[in-house]
């Protein structure tokens, strides 16, 4: 592969590139979906190719191809240069990447059990056992389970002298029970909604989930939700479960601290951010107990890696400290615009996409409360868990989330189950009203394996560490 | 571009290698380029050449799928072996009947030499025109202009061979000031149909007119939806309920309501993959010819769309709406058309005592799929209408609203329709502007 990377980088320089990098990526994936006692989908895919990114005349160009041949490397590199020259026709300033970042390194996700070495029979057996347990609950119309495994081998080389080889391995699984009543449909998921929970880990991650042990419980909850009353509306105290809070962090903290959004380069699609540059270090994002960290080094996190796709090492960066907004997720180019160094958040969805600023693991640091004490300390409120619907505006201020399940909290005790719970708010007001966060015992890593951004669209797989937390004065319930 | 001859060779080789009872091979080749701009300059500019070969092997009622993007002999042999090995590991799926049999496929053209030969320089010139117009008006331009040549081919061991060569050109822009934004978009298979100046002018005009937005109280309003917003409604209805699997699983709003009035008689909606006004695709990802399917006719729930699996389950014929295997989501209509009415946008505004004009919706998500309750925000130009005139721009609003109830309160339907790319980017839908009597806004942003 060295010959191909050197061929591209040399050719790019000869053709006028002031900077060039090449990534050669090979991704293997395996997906299993089980539904109502049958294996509905079982697939295996291999995908490989390379992408060449260049700066010519102070502007970016990128071209990519699935055909890993020397002649194609030449064509693609020349095309990237041609595209960069076209970009230079409409530019307002020259690209500045800041000082060189040079690393010659390798990284591999530490795994105990290679998920691709585990037989498909064993994986299917585990999913079918969970599926059967879900279908034992009368009223469950669709029981679904899935597993996904990814092995991505990446080579990164640039004209500054970096050469980095990485192998990232991911394992994930999830269950979903859908109960259908006369006029209603209700769903419960485990361990996370919208597919699955995933981590950079081996098959040991799947075994630790205890899918079969939780299948019956979620199925019964889905059925019970059909006859549960509608969640009441009003302004009230809400305790969010850790999985729901992970999505809250993702949407209302993770996205607005992406510095490319702040600088407007995602304006036409994903939108911009309310956390504009002059707020850095000054703006009160949340209450004093709110501490949020971007950490690409957490073992097992879905946003954990060795080096980002610009060759910058994985890092741990404070985002919010004691409620004050103190840090962005950055790339080399955007960090240079603030006079800073990249904190390594550039990732591309495969060989055919350019790296964009993506979340790593955006974690709400644990607080001091035991969950039981938090409930006991709450006189009147609602406990909500597991995301069912989500929507947020293009500046990441006005959000509305729905959860799969909710419970009344009355005089310090969990009571009545509610369905169709939703809550809405404005990001900094909502976090300012956070008055309690559970401790490390209740803190765990969650994942968002389907984060969309960019044109052409890219999917990133990112992590979020959270523990349950309490929020005051939340507007609950908007459905007619 | 691989060309039909080369793709025939690939599919024939795959089928000859397979030991499965039935085998299907899907080839998708893509040669696409995209120029992206923000802050009134080009900041991302990319090209991609890729090909996917996806093999579905059937052994009895067991199905396995494997895919690769490597066309080497060894890789094609491996993908066939993997699909077969995966199928053999499966349990029988009693609902599976068969891969589709061959059927005549209608001719439709959606290929443009101009699109295929469109250069990075030509895209830069178009983008430059939009950026200049924005800068001249003290505004900031962002957006993307993409062009692509795509080939889709499906072959199976029962004799199906379907091949389609198509082009696509897609331009979108958001123009912003400090406190406002405007939107313009155009999509066509022929790039010569895209007028970049007009797209830029539309967005600049909206951005200028939506400056100094005021807050208004959320609540129930009459709304006028431009075509971009109407498209979100049909796309969401498709997503939550217009496919057969959603009905078979009991999660669709169409369940037990076929033949009933579900929305206003002013609404007719159908899917037609052969209509050249859309982005035609004459067959689905199983190689089944696309049929025109009436989904809602004069407000009455008529049909949903089928792939071979969901059709087999009901003893029906596929309507040609299958997605690539393995597809656990079921079939979807991706070439929808809503019937136009008689009104112009000006007539809709003039007839409104008090209401809200919406350019487009953003980040819409189902809250209650079976009731088609959706939440989302307005974006890029939201205005209060008073006494038949646009009074002033307003800050973006959040809505939480059943799209079915919204379509039940249709008061006027636009006399023209526009092709709008779906957010899911599967294809495009052709829709008019709408005036709806009631629409529930549940929040406002800052």
């Amino acid at each position: 592969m060295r010959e191909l990377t050197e061929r591209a980088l040399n050719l790019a320089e000869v053709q006028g590139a002031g900077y060039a990098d090449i990534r050669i990526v090979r991704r293997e994936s395996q997906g299993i979906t089980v539904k109502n006692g049958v294996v509905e989908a079982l697939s295996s895919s291999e995908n490989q190719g390379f992408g060449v990114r260049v700066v010519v005349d102070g502007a970016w160009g990128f071209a990519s191809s699935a055909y890993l041949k020397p002649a194609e490397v030449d064509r693609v590199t020349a095309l990237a240069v041609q595209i960069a020259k076209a970009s230079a026709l409409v530019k307002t300033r020259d690209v500045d990447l800041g000082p060189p970042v040079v690393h010659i390194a390798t990284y591999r996700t530490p795994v105990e059990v290679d998920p691709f070495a585990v037989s498909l029979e064993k994986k299917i057996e585990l999913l079918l056992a969970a599926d059967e347990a879900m279908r034992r609950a009368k009223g469950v119309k669709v029981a679904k389970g899935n597993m996904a495994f990814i092995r991505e081998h990446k080579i990164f080389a640039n004209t500054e002298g970096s050469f980095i080889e990485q192998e990232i391995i991911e394992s994930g699984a999830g269950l979903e029970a859908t109960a259908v009543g006369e006029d209603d449909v209700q769903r419960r998921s485990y361990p996370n909604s919208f597919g699955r929970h995933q981590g950079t880990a081996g098959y040991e991650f799947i075994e630790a989930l205890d899918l079969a042990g939780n299948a019956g419980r979620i199925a019964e909850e889905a059925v019970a939700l059909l006859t549960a009353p509608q969640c009441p509306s009003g302004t009230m105290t809400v305790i969010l479960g850790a999985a729901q809070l992970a999505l809250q962090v993702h949407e209302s903290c993770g996205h607005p601290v992406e510095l490319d959004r702040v600088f407007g380069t995602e304006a036409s699609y994903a939108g911009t951010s309310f956390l504009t540059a002059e707020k850095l270090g000054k703006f009160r994002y949340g209450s004093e107990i709110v501490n949020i960290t971007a950490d690409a080094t957490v073992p097992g996190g879905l946003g954990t890696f060795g080096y980002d796709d610009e060759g910058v090492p994985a890092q741990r960066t404070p985002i919010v400290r004691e409620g004050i907004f103190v840090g962005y997720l950055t790339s080399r180019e955007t960090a240079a615009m603030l006079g800073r160094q990249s904190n390594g958040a550039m990732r591309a969805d495969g060989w055919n996409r350019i790296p964009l600023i993506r979340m790593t693991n955006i974690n709400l640091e644990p607080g001091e409360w035991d969950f039981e004490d938090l409930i006991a300390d709450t006189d009147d409120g609602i406990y909500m868990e597991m995301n069912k619907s989500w929507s947020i505006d293009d500046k990441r201020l006005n959000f509305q989330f729905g959860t799969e399940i909710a419970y009344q909290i009355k005089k310090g005790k969990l009571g009545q189950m509610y369905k169709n719970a939703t809550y809405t708010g404005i990001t900094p007001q909502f976090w300012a009203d956070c008055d309690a966060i559970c401790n490390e015992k209740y803190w765990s890593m969650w994942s968002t394996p389907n984060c969309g951004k960019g044109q052409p669209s890219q999917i990133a797989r990112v992590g979020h560490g959270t523990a349950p937390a309490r929020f005051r004065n939340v507007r609950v319930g908007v459905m007619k | 571009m691989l060309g039909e001859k080369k793709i025939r060779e690939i599919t024939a080789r795959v089928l000859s290698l397979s030991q499965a009872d039935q085998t299907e091979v899907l080839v998708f080749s893509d040669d696409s380029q995209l120029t992206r701009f923000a802050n009134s300059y080009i900041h991302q500019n990319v090209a991609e050449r890729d090909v996917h070969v996806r093999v579905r092997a059937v052994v009895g009622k067991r199905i396995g799928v494997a895919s690769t993007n490597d066309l080497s002999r060894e890789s094609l042999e491996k993908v066939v072996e993997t699909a077969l090995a995966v199928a053999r590991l499966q349990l029988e799926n009693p609902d599976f009947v068969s891969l589709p049999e061959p059927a005549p496929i209608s001719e439709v053209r959606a290929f443009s030499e101009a699109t295929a030969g469109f250069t990075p320089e030509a895209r830069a010139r178009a983008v430059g025109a939009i950026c200049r117009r924005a800068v001249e008006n003290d505004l900031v331009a962002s957006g993307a202009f993409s062009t692509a040549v795509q080939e889709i081919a499906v072959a199976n061991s029962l004799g199906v061979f379907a091949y389609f060569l198509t082009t696509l050109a897609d331009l979108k822009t958001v123009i912003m000031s400090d406190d406002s934004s405007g939107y313009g978009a155009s999509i066509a298979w022929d790039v010569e149909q895209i007028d970049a100046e007009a797209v830029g002018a539309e967005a600049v005009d909206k951005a200028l007119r939506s400056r100094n937005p005021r807050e208004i109280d959320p609540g129930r309003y009459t709304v006028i939806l431009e075509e971009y917003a109407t498209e979100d409604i049909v796309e969401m209805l498709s997503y939550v309920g217009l496919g057969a699997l959603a009905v078979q699983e009991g999660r669709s709003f169409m369940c037990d309501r076929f033949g009933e009035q579900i929305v206003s008689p002013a609404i007719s909606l159908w899917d037609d993959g052969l209509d050249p006004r859309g982005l035609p695709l004459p067959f689905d990802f199983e190689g089944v010819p696309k049929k025109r399917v009436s989904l809602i006719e004069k407000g009455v729930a008529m049909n949903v769309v089928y792939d071979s699996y969901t059709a087999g389950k009901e003893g029906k014929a596929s309507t040609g709406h299958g997605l690539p295997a393995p597809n656990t989501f079921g079939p979807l209509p991706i070439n929808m058309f809503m019937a136009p009415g008689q009104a112009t946008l000006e007539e809709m505004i003039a007839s409104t005592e008090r209401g809200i004009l919406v350019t487009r919706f953003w980040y819409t998500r189902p809250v209650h799929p079976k009731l088609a309750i959706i939440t989302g925000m307005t974006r890029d130009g939201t205005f209060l209408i008073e006494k038949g005139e646009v009074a002033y721009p307003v800050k973006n609003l959040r809505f939480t609203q059943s799209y079915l109830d919204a379509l039940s309160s249709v008061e006027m339907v636009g006399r023209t329709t526009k092709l709008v790319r779906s957010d899911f980017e599967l294809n495009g839908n052709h829709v008019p502007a709408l005036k709806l009597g009631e629409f529930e806004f549940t929040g406002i942003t800052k």
Side-chain angles (χ1 to χ4, degrees):
Chain A
M1 290 296 174
R2 273 269 192 185
E3 301 102 75
L4 290 179
T5 61
E6 281 173 13
R7 189 180 182 104
L9 298 176
N10 290 339
L11 185 62
E13 284 189 316
V14 166
Q15 297 195 354
Y19 171 86
D21 61 37
I22 177 169
R23 289 179 303 109
I24 301 175
V25 181
R26 178 179 173 78
R27 187 187 284 174
E28 290 170 71
S29 53
Q30 189 181 76
I32 310 166
T33 304
V34 164
K35 190 169 104 181
N36 288 348
V38 298
V39 184
E40 196 185 46
L42 187 47
S43 67
S44 159
S45 98
E46 291 183 6
N47 183 289
Q48 62 176 358
F50 68 98
V52 177
R53 192 174 71 140
V54 299
V55 179
V56 182
D57 298 340
W60 283 114
F62 174 83
S64 62
S65 174
Y67 304 92
L68 259 171
K69 302 270 166 48
E72 185 70 351
V73 168
D74 294 352
R75 183 192 72 82
V76 165
T77 305
L79 179 58
V81 170
Q82 184 199 352
I83 286 173
K85 287 179 176 168
S87 301
L89 298 174
V90 187
K91 71 170 181 180
T92 53
R93 59 179 185 82
D94 285 355
V95 171
D96 173 13
L97 294 175
V101 181
V102 183
H103 291 278
I104 295 169
T106 57
Y107 171 86
R108 185 173 192 264
T109 302
V111 296
E112 288 171 30
V113 183
D114 178 356
F116 289 88
V118 175
S119 73
L120 274 169
E121 289 95 327
K122 185 172 173 182
K123 294 167 182 167
I124 291 168
E125 193 183 321
L126 202 160
L127 283 174
L128 285 175
D131 179 276
E132 195 191 341
M134 282 190 279
R135 283 182 296 121
R136 266 185 234 128
K138 205 176 161 201
V140 167
K141 172 113 178 181
V142 181
K144 223 168 170 175
N146 80 87
M147 285 187 198
F149 305 96
I150 297 172
R151 173 160 46 212
E152 190 166 74
H153 180 263
K154 311 202 277 192
I155 291 172
F156 171 86
N158 71 8
T159 48
E160 294 168 348
S162 281
F163 190 92
I164 298 165
E165 207 167 345
Q166 297 190 83
E167 188 176 71
I168 311 287
I169 296 170
E170 297 175 19
S171 300
L175 304 175
E176 195 180 282
T178 304
V180 179
E182 223 164 86
D183 304 310
D184 202 6
V185 178
Q186 293 291 333
R187 186 186 70 213
R188 283 288 287 131
S189 309
Y190 176 83
N192 208 348
S193 52
F194 299 103
R196 61 191 173 271
H197 178 34
Q198 197 157 310
T200 53
Y203 196 71
E204 67 279 3
F205 182 91
I206 306 294
E207 287 175 328
L209 294 176
D210 188 16
L211 295 175
N214 285 279
R217 172 181 61 80
I218 60 162
E220 279 157 23
E221 286 172 355
V223 174
L225 280 166
L226 289 173
T227 49
Q230 166 78 35
C231 183
S233 299
T235 299
M236 56 190 84
T237 295
V238 165
I239 294 175
L240 294 182
Q244 173 56 30
L245 198 50
L247 195 76
Q248 179 78 47
V249 169
H250 179 93
E251 301 290 1
S252 70
C253 181
H255 278 305
V257 301
E258 295 162 350
L259 192 51
D260 52 356
R261 293 180 69 113
V262 175
F263 287 150
T265 56
E266 290 293 323
S268 64
Y269 185 61
T272 58
S273 170
F274 73 98
L275 286 172
T276 43
E278 80 284 355
K279 293 192 172 87
L280 187 62
K282 300 172 203 150
F283 181 74
R284 178 154 288 285
Y285 176 88
S287 65
E288 284 183 358
I289 62 165
V290 175
N291 290 287
I292 297 174
T293 307
D295 190 351
T297 69
V298 191
L302 193 55
T304 298
F305 47 83
Y307 295 81
D308 78 354
D309 288 331
E310 288 191 311
V312 176
Q315 292 166 44
R316 179 179 158 85
T317 307
I319 300 292
V320 174
R321 274 290 160 270
E322 294 178 355
I324 303 296
F325 162 57
V326 295
Y328 287 114
L329 294 164
T330 64
S331 62
R332 289 183 60 183
E333 187 182 7
T334 56
M337 289 162 78
L338 289 183
R340 294 187 172 199
Q341 300 268 308
S342 167
N343 56 25
M346 285 287 267
R347 286 195 290 160
D349 184 8
W351 54 268
N352 55 350
R353 296 287 183 268
I354 54 169
L356 299 174
I357 295 177
R358 305 309 304 251
M359 287 173 230
T360 53
N361 301 297
I362 310 301
N363 304 332
L364 176 68
E365 299 296 337
E368 294 173 347
W369 289 76
D370 275 340
F371 180 70
E372 297 73 16
D373 293 344
L374 186 57
I375 297 291
D377 185 66
T378 304
D379 192 47
D380 189 12
I382 308 276
Y383 170 63
M384 298 187 193
E385 177 59 319
M386 197 60 70
N387 188 260
K388 183 175 171 185
S389 71
W390 75 106
S391 174
I392 188 161
D393 73 22
D394 53 313
K395 287 194 172 63
R396 304 276 147 176
L397 275 171
N398 178 307
F399 62 80
Q400 179 172 310
F401 295 116
T403 62
E404 288 185 351
I405 196 163
Y407 292 93
Q408 179 191 45
I409 309 170
K410 203 79 188 166
K411 294 195 168 79
K413 289 202 168 76
L414 287 175
Q416 173 74 55
M417 177 191 287
Y418 293 130
K419 67 179 169 187
N420 302 336
T422 62
Y423 66 100
T424 185
I426 299 289
T427 297
Q429 294 169 6
F430 177 78
W431 284 101
D433 283 327
C434 177
D435 77 341
I437 302 172
C438 287
N439 61 36
E440 275 174 6
K441 209 162 67 179
Y442 304 90
W443 191 94
S444 56
M445 285 302 299
W446 297 88
S447 57
T448 306
N450 56 351
C451 175
K453 187 176 176 181
Q455 295 166 297
S457 69
Q458 302 195 31
I459 302 295
R461 299 180 298 281
V462 308
H464 301 289
T466 52
R470 185 171 64 190
F471 298 83
R472 302 291 193 181
N473 308 310
V474 179
R475 192 173 154 218
V476 172
V478 290
M479 273 174 56
K480 280 201 286 187
Chain B
M1 200 179 105
L2 292 168
E4 183 173 350
K5 185 165 172 277
K6 173 79 178 164
I7 287 182
R8 267 192 190 273
E9 285 169 18
I10 295 167
T11 57
R13 189 180 312 154
V14 167
L15 294 177
S16 71
L17 287 167
S18 177
Q19 305 294 311
D21 296 342
Q22 295 184 351
T23 306
E24 175 187 270
V25 53
L26 167 68
V27 180
F28 178 74
S29 96
D30 180 36
D31 201 337
S32 57
Q33 303 200 358
L34 181 143
T35 299
R36 202 168 183 217
F37 53 107
N39 298 316
S40 307
Y41 74 95
I42 294 172
H43 69 304
Q44 292 169 9
N45 209 347
V46 302
E48 172 184 359
R49 182 175 286 180
D50 197 6
V51 60
H52 283 273
V53 176
R54 194 177 285 238
V55 176
R56 177 156 59 150
V58 182
V59 181
K61 286 177 177 288
R62 301 160 196 254
I63 302 160
V65 176
S67 70
T68 180
N69 72 339
D70 179 354
L71 296 181
S72 68
R73 172 176 288 275
E74 307 76 58
S75 178
L76 292 180
E77 282 171 6
K78 189 176 167 199
V79 77
V80 171
E81 275 170 28
T82 307
L84 188 61
V86 163
R88 287 190 173 132
L89 281 168
Q90 279 274 35
L91 299 179
E92 293 214 330
N93 187 335
D95 292 325
F96 176 80
V97 178
S98 169
L99 291 178
E101 297 276 354
I105 292 165
S106 301
E107 286 283 325
V108 57
R109 181 179 163 80
F111 178 81
S112 142
E113 291 288 352
T115 310
F118 213 64
T119 63
E121 292 78 12
R123 286 197 309 279
R125 278 194 293 277
V127 164
I130 293 173
C131 291
R132 271 192 302 283
R133 186 183 283 265
V135 171
E136 283 162 13
N137 287 280
D138 289 327
L139 299 166
V140 175
S142 63
F145 192 2
S146 65
T147 50
V149 181
Q150 296 172 334
E151 294 165 289
I152 301 166
V154 188
N156 75 24
S157 54
L158 303 179
V160 165
F161 182 84
Y163 171 85
F164 190 59
L165 169 65
T166 182
T167 48
L168 187 66
D170 184 7
L171 173 64
K172 290 189 182 84
T173 185
V174 172
I175 306 281
M176 295 185 298
S177 74
D178 288 347
D179 64 359
S180 71
S181 62
Y183 183 71
S186 181
I187 186 165
W189 53 266
D190 181 1
V191 74
E192 290 180 344
Q193 301 297 312
I194 290 185
D195 182 345
E197 292 275 3
V199 168
E202 177 187 354
V204 164
D205 175 60
K206 274 276 169 56
L208 291 173
R209 289 198 290 121
S210 57
R211 276 189 152 163
N212 303 312
R214 302 186 206 170
E215 280 195 18
I216 57 168
D217 290 332
R220 194 168 292 178
Y221 287 85
T222 294
V223 290
I224 296 168
L225 306 181
E226 292 197 11
E227 293 90 341
Y228 306 119
T230 305
E231 197 280 335
D232 192 85
I233 292 185
V234 302
E235 183 182 333
M236 269 295 163
L237 291 181
S238 153
Y239 177 67
V240 299
L242 293 175
L245 191 65
V247 174
Q248 289 171 358
E249 291 182 350
R251 57 184 161 83
S252 167
F253 57 85
M254 300 285 268
C255 290
D256 305 321
R257 298 196 69 187
F258 291 99
E260 280 179 33
Q261 195 84 35
I262 58 166
V263 293
S264 157
I267 296 296
S268 290
L269 184 70
W270 64 94
D271 187 87
D272 189 354
L274 298 173
D275 190 328
R277 294 175 303 156
L279 299 171
L281 183 60
F283 53 86
D284 70 0
F285 294 93
E286 297 184 299
V288 175
K290 280 196 174 277
K291 290 183 186 151
R292 185 188 188 279
V293 177
S294 173
L295 303 163
I296 297 171
E297 197 170 318
K298 294 184 176 160
V300 175
M302 300 300 290
N303 300 288
V304 290
V305 297
Y306 288 83
D307 56 11
S308 65
Y309 178 76
T310 51
K313 225 168 156 176
E314 293 183 31
K316 291 183 171 175
S318 166
T319 57
H321 291 84
L323 299 180
N327 166 29
T328 58
F329 193 78
L332 279 183
I334 58 174
N335 300 89
M336 287 182 286
F337 290 78
M338 185 182 275
Q342 301 295 327
T344 64
L345 192 65
E346 293 71 27
E347 287 165 356
M348 292 184 194
I349 293 168
S351 65
T352 302
E353 184 58 24
R354 184 175 161 81
I356 291 174
L357 171 64
V358 175
T359 299
R360 70 170 178 139
F361 291 144
W362 162 250
Y363 219 127
T364 54
R365 294 288 184 274
V367 176
H368 195 303
K370 194 160 185 187
L371 300 176
I373 294 174
I374 309 295
T375 188
M377 300 293 302
T378 65
R379 187 175 167 181
D380 301 328
T382 309
F383 303 89
L384 184 74
I385 299 166
E386 283 182 327
K387 298 191 171 82
E389 288 182 354
V390 174
Y392 51 82
V394 298
K395 290 197 173 177
N396 285 316
L397 293 154
R398 171 172 297 286
F399 65 89
T400 308
Q401 167 70 49
S402 160
Y403 275 176
L404 281 185
D405 290 350
L407 289 185
S408 298
S409 71
V410 171
E411 293 181 356
M412 296 169 104
V413 179
R415 68 163 63 151
T416 57
T417 55
K418 184 179 171 85
L419 178 64
V420 181
R421 185 89 193 258
S422 77
D423 257 6
F424 300 125
E425 297 196 343
L426 279 168
N427 236 328
N429 300 309
H430 228 278
V431 294
L434 293 174
K435 179 179 170 185
L436 310 177
E438 289 189 349
F439 203 84
E440 188 83 21
F441 291 102
T442 50
I444 187 161
T445 196
K446 294 292 169 191

